[in-house]
Amino acid sequence: MNYSFLVSFILVLIPLIYSYKAKLGIEKQLLINSFRAFIQLLALGYFLVFIFKINNLFLLILVLFLMILYSSYIAKKRVNTNFIIPFLTIFLSTFIVLGIMVSTQIISTKPNEFIPIGGMIIGNSLNSFTLAVERFKRETEIQTDLIEGFISLGATLKEAYKTMQLQAIKASLIPTINMLQTIGVVAIPGITTGMLLAGANPLTAVSYQLVIIYMLVSINLFSALFGIMFFMKYKDKNEI
């Protein structure tokens, strides 16, 4: 095992000391979360050693399903909604995007490809879902007069929500758009950096990174669309 991470803890000590001296009050949170990250990533390392030995596709899919369940639980807590909404959103988005990547042989079902890529898809689906739904909830709260105006003119509730829906989806895609604009110019992305550090050919690393980027564009759009769609249905039922 490479123990360089122990030396790198110096980079955490600097903000810890500054927070204590400047009385920011976040040094305890920084310290606890730093150790939490250490424990979680160490556990992940040992877990992946076990997972990468699995040759049964059913078991690999089961692992991803458990990840979807946990992500759905986190999303439920973040946006304070019914569990089925984030679950259906993340499940369908993951199924579509991962299914396309496997069926077109962009990735294989080998554990070292299937699980990391699947986890990346699920994690981004979670983020996009929460961004879209939170923005939609906020827009419907501050634009009540506009919604009532549409309805008074004969529009359905779904039609009245259309503007807020588009605003929420657009807002959830802003991080993705920013990434597309700056990647390779402002910063070398994570996958490329990791592969370069591992000694991979730069062109190979870049081509693999492009696959990941295009995958993220798709998963973020699907997650925002499905998230708003399911949330609106749930909202409509509660308002009836």
Side-chain angles (χ1 to χ4, degrees), residues 8-9 14 16 24 36 38 54 64 69 71 86 99-100 107 114 122 128 132 148 152 167 176 206 227 229:
S8 69
F9 192 72
I14 295 172
L16 279 174
L24 294 178
R36 178 179 294 171
F38 166 74
I54 297 177
L64 288 185
L69 286 177
S71 296
I100 290 173
I107 65 168
F114 193 71
I122 294 168
S128 185
E148 291 176 349
S152 66
Q167 289 174 342
T176 305
V206 167
M229 181 181 72

Side-chain angles (χ1 to χ4, degrees), residues 119-136:
M120 195 177 298
I121 289 172
I122 294 168
N124 277 274
S125 180
L126 163 64
N127 291 334
S128 185
F129 168 82
T130 53
L131 283 172
V133 173
E134 282 291 348
R135 179 60 180 264
F136 179 74

Side-chain angles (χ1 to χ4, degrees), residues 87-148:
F87 173 75
L88 287 176
T89 299
I90 297 173
F91 177 81
L92 288 175
S93 301
T94 301
F95 177 80
I96 292 171
V97 175
L98 192 60
I100 290 173
M101 295 184 74
V102 171
S103 63
T104 56
Q105 298 184 339
I106 294 174
I107 65 168
S108 69
T109 55
K110 293 179 181 178
N112 64 321
E113 293 183 24
F114 193 71
I115 295 299
I117 296 298
M120 195 177 298
I121 289 172
I122 294 168
N124 277 274
S125 180
L126 163 64
N127 291 334
S128 185
F129 168 82
T130 53
L131 283 172
V133 173
E134 282 291 348
R135 179 60 180 264
F136 179 74
K137 289 172 68 177
R138 186 163 64 250
E139 290 294 332
T140 54
E141 288 172 1
I142 65 177
Q143 298 195 56
T144 306
D145 292 340
L146 181 61
I147 295 171
E148 291 176 349

Side-chain angles (χ1 to χ4, degrees), residues 22-221:
K23 301 186 185 302
L24 294 178
I26 60 172
E27 57 274 8
K28 182 178 179 181
Q29 187 177 3
L30 279 172
L31 184 62
I32 292 175
N33 287 337
S34 296
F35 279 115
R36 178 179 294 171
F38 166 74
I39 293 170
Q40 289 176 173
L41 287 174
L42 190 63
L44 174 64
Y46 284 109
F47 178 70
L48 289 178
V49 169
F50 167 74
I51 290 296
F52 286 175
K53 293 179 181 178
I54 297 177
N55 290 319
N56 189 311
L57 180 58
F58 174 78
L59 291 178
L60 293 177
I61 292 174
L62 179 61
V63 170
L64 288 185
F65 184 74
L66 294 175
M67 293 166 68
I68 290 172
L69 286 177
Y70 181 70
S71 296
S72 303
Y73 170 73
I74 297 297
K76 172 190 176 298
K77 291 181 65 178
R78 285 188 187 177
V79 300
N80 190 28
T81 189
N82 191 299
F83 175 83
I84 196 66
I85 296 173
F87 173 75
L88 287 176
T89 299
I90 297 173
F91 177 81
L92 288 175
S93 301
T94 301
F95 177 80
I96 292 171
V97 175
L98 192 60
I100 290 173
M101 295 184 74
V102 171
S103 63
T104 56
Q105 298 184 339
I106 294 174
I107 65 168
S108 69
T109 55
K110 293 179 181 178
N112 64 321
E113 293 183 24
F114 193 71
I115 295 299
I117 296 298
M120 195 177 298
I121 289 172
I122 294 168
N124 277 274
S125 180
L126 163 64
N127 291 334
S128 185
F129 168 82
T130 53
L131 283 172
V133 173
E134 282 291 348
R135 179 60 180 264
F136 179 74
K137 289 172 68 177
R138 186 163 64 250
E139 290 294 332
T140 54
E141 288 172 1
I142 65 177
Q143 298 195 56
T144 306
D145 292 340
L146 181 61
I147 295 171
E148 291 176 349
F150 276 123
I151 293 174
S152 66
L153 293 173
T156 63
L157 195 58
K158 183 178 180 180
E159 291 170 339
Y161 282 144
K162 188 66 177 181
T163 301
M164 297 82 191
Q165 179 184 6
L166 294 176
Q167 289 174 342
I169 293 172
K170 183 179 178 180
S172 70
L173 292 175
I174 288 176
T176 305
I177 294 170
N178 290 340
M179 175 192 66
L180 291 171
Q181 290 177 330
T182 60
I183 197 165
V185 177
V186 177
I188 300 176
I191 296 293
T192 303
T193 301
M195 293 183 69
L196 290 175
L197 290 173
N201 181 286
L203 291 178
T204 301
V206 167
S207 64
Y208 204 81
Q209 182 69 62
L210 281 171
V211 170
I212 301 301
I213 292 169
Y214 296 153
M215 173 196 79
L216 295 181
V217 173
S218 186
I219 190 65
N220 288 337
L221 177 61

